[in-house]
Amino acid sequence: AAVGSELAAGLEVEGREFQALKATPEARALQHLFFAERACAKVPGVDAKGAAPLDAVGVVGGGTMGRGIAMCFLDAGLPVTLVDVDDTAAAAAAAGIDATYRRSSAFKKGRLTEAVLAAKLEKLAVASDVAALADADLVVEAIYEDLDAKRAVFARLDGACKPTAVLASNTSTLSIDAIADAVADPTRVVGTHFFSPANVMKLLENVRGARTGDGAVAAAMALGKRLRKTTVLAGDAFGFIGNRMLEPYGRECLALLRHRDVGVSNVDAALRDFGMAMGFFAMSDLAGNDIGYAVRTSLGLTDAATRDPAVEYSADVADALVEAGRLGQKAGKGWYLYEQPRVPSPDPAVDALVSQFKDGSPSVGAEDILDRALLALVNEGFRVLEEGLALRPSDLDVVWTSGYGFPRHKGGPMQWAEERGLRECRATLERLAAERPDVPYLRPAKLLVALADADAPLADWEKYV
């Protein structure tokens, strides 16, 4: 169009091609996300502009997440005090933050200068006592995922922080309401789920408990804007939005390993070819396979004596992997081998481990892999909406495109499902559920069934809840 003809003819070709592209699923997906990413920060009845000012913040926990969250604050120009268990740990956290900045491409290429880095680090203080957080306007707890330990931290914060301070937890699965039991005023407790690495990932999943006040919600949403995060508000239930949907998606990826001729690489390759940034198993290695194992253990699932024998348990192979010491990238081996940092390669030892869990199921191809993994994900999304854990379907799409690597040109899982057709999604799930009646997450969600029966668009979802 630009060089092969006269200007008028070229413009005609360009206009015709533009109109054709505008009508594609990819265009609809990207337009959908454009508006979704602007709608997600809006919480009915809560005005983030009216949130109390944040002049100083705190972080409890100097591990990977705590350091990343502190860097988010520093990058936004906020003074931050990081508290860890003792002076040695606190100093190590500060040194780790400095080292992370120096390893960044911005520093190596000169965009982050010594002078700018020094100015950032001047706003960082470290301590070993929560008393140092007395003047903080907001504190984020970022210790390990243990309810009793988090409650103990919040009890100490309740006594050390000023009554107006917002107390936030970075928990990825635990109940905000259960954590809030440790403080006198639960209205000031909110979830602020950052994604790892927190200083890189743009998603912030805030969580409103049943007793969380509007002021704490406003502060958390305003914080997301201050940090330039894509911020979504979720309800308080296991896994919130993102990890709640991840659970059946992961279970189905694990179940696929039972089939003949299906291995870790086959599943991940199908997901990458679809457009996912990473396959499930590579993502699990990145996050740490012990994280999921700890969650399953806390739910009584890793012990056959305490889990429901009438429900399929496909994570036994993942349990065996962790028990063999294959924790993921940090251990140099997980579902893949990492002879070079962050570079996965297939490992025959994993093939041998997986072979122990084969059950004679027939081989399946890439199309079946995608049907099972993605429809398990979508179906759980409909349940999230049924239970009131999200304000709108597009919030689920924002979470998964911003935090879990779902391809933007597909628009997110809910947009993808609507593009595919809700009736077809329902029919396929019904077939899969009939084949495996002991898998509850494959039974079509009531909301999906209602919308499919009415041939209604997803935009009308609230009429059918």
Side-chain angles (χ1 to χ4, degrees):
V3 298
S5 60
E6 296 295 325
L7 177 61
L11 289 173
E12 182 181 349
V13 171
E14 184 179 281
R16 186 168 60 249
E17 292 300 318
F18 176 82
Q19 291 301 322
L21 287 172
K22 191 172 72 170
T24 62
E26 292 81 5
R28 289 192 291 271
L30 293 171
Q31 292 160 17
H32 164 77
L33 280 179
F34 176 87
F35 292 106
E37 289 175 344
R38 285 150 181 78
C40 66
K42 299 174 182 177
V43 179
V46 175
D47 182 8
K49 294 179 181 178
L54 293 179
D55 297 319
V57 294
V59 177
V60 178
T64 301
M65 286 304 301
R67 295 177 191 185
I69 294 168
M71 290 176 70
C72 291
F73 292 145
L74 294 174
D75 290 342
L78 282 165
V80 56
T81 300
L82 188 152
V83 176
D84 213 331
V85 291
D86 55 39
D87 291 340
T88 300
I97 289 171
D98 179 72
T100 301
Y101 275 124
R102 293 179 183 279
R103 285 196 302 269
S104 69
S105 61
F107 186 82
K108 291 178 179 178
K109 293 179 180 180
R111 296 194 304 273
L112 175 62
T113 65
E114 285 283 359
V116 173
L117 176 56
K120 285 180 184 288
L121 296 178
E122 281 182 4
K123 292 181 179 291
L124 173 66
V126 296
S128 58
D129 191 325
V130 293
L133 303 174
D135 295 326
D137 300 306
L138 180 144
V139 178
V140 178
E141 165 273 311
I143 68 167
Y144 54 94
E145 286 287 271
D146 180 89
L147 181 58
D148 289 338
K150 288 181 183 291
R151 281 175 169 164
V153 168
F154 271 75
R156 293 199 297 273
L157 290 174
D158 197 36
C161 296
K162 58 189 180 184
T164 56
V166 173
L167 306 181
S169 175
N170 182 55
T171 180
S172 58
T173 57
L174 299 175
S175 168
I176 296 301
D177 283 327
I179 293 170
D181 285 339
V183 305
D185 179 13
T187 65
R188 65 173 174 155
V189 178
V190 67
T192 51
H193 177 208
F194 290 78
F195 285 70
S196 185
N199 55 305
V200 175
M201 296 295 286
K202 68 176 185 177
L203 179 65
L204 176 61
E205 186 183 40
N206 288 332
V207 185
R208 176 167 52 186
R211 295 172 292 174
T212 302
D214 286 350
V217 172
M221 299 305 289
L223 175 67
K225 185 174 182 179
R226 179 81 176 266
L227 301 183
R228 297 185 178 180
K229 299 285 189 183
T230 301
T231 309
V232 173
L233 184 66
D236 185 25
F238 175 81
F240 316 130
I241 293 174
N243 284 342
R244 166 70 179 271
M245 294 172 67
L246 177 66
E247 181 72 9
Y249 169 75
R251 291 287 185 90
E252 201 57 21
C253 289
L254 291 166
L256 284 160
L257 296 181
R258 297 183 174 181
H259 287 256
R260 187 177 67 250
D261 300 327
V262 176
V264 168
S265 296
N266 302 101
V267 176
D268 276 2
L271 293 167
R272 286 196 310 273
D273 289 346
F274 171 78
M276 297 294 287
M278 301 179 78
F280 169 76
F281 296 104
M283 182 177 69
S284 185
D285 275 354
L286 176 63
N289 296 312
D290 51 321
I291 303 298
Y293 182 81
V295 172
R296 293 191 297 275
T297 300
S298 71
L299 297 173
L301 296 175
T302 53
D303 185 351
T306 56
R307 63 176 180 253
D308 187 348
V311 176
E312 178 189 279
Y313 184 68
S314 61
D316 44 8
V317 62
D319 296 342
L321 186 88
V322 172
E323 289 160 5
R326 304 187 69 102
L327 306 184
Q329 287 191 20
K330 61 189 174 186
K333 59 182 181 179
W335 293 107
Y336 296 95
L337 188 63
Y338 297 89
E339 294 176 311
Q340 299 179 50
R342 298 184 294 279
V343 180
S345 58
D347 191 342
V350 172
D351 296 336
L353 185 148
V354 168
S355 70
Q356 299 173 32
F357 295 87
K358 299 291 185 183
D359 63 3
S361 298
S363 181
V364 294
E367 186 175 342
D368 289 323
I369 290 171
L370 290 177
D371 269 354
R372 288 174 52 174
L374 297 180
L375 287 175
L377 171 66
V378 164
N379 202 37
E380 201 67 19
F382 280 102
R383 291 198 173 96
V384 165
L385 292 170
E386 286 175 11
E387 296 173 24
L389 301 179
L391 294 173
R392 51 189 76 87
S394 61
D395 284 0
L396 280 60
D397 292 332
V398 170
V399 166
W400 268 79
T401 53
S402 298
Y404 293 83
F406 199 95
R408 292 182 63 81
H409 67 274
K410 304 284 187 181
M414 308 309 286
Q415 171 70 13
W416 171 80
E418 183 155 47
E419 195 70 50
R420 175 173 175 157
L422 299 186
R423 286 185 171 180
E424 183 182 339
C425 291
R426 174 196 175 178
T428 305
L429 281 165
E430 286 176 336
R431 174 177 59 78
L432 293 172
E435 293 170 357
R436 291 159 63 209
D438 60 343
V439 184
Y441 60 73
L442 291 177
R443 299 167 196 160
K446 293 177 182 178
L447 177 57
L448 171 57
V449 171
L451 287 166
D453 281 347
D455 198 20
L458 189 51
D460 290 344
W461 70 282
E462 289 180 291
K463 299 176 183 178
Y464 298 91
V465 175

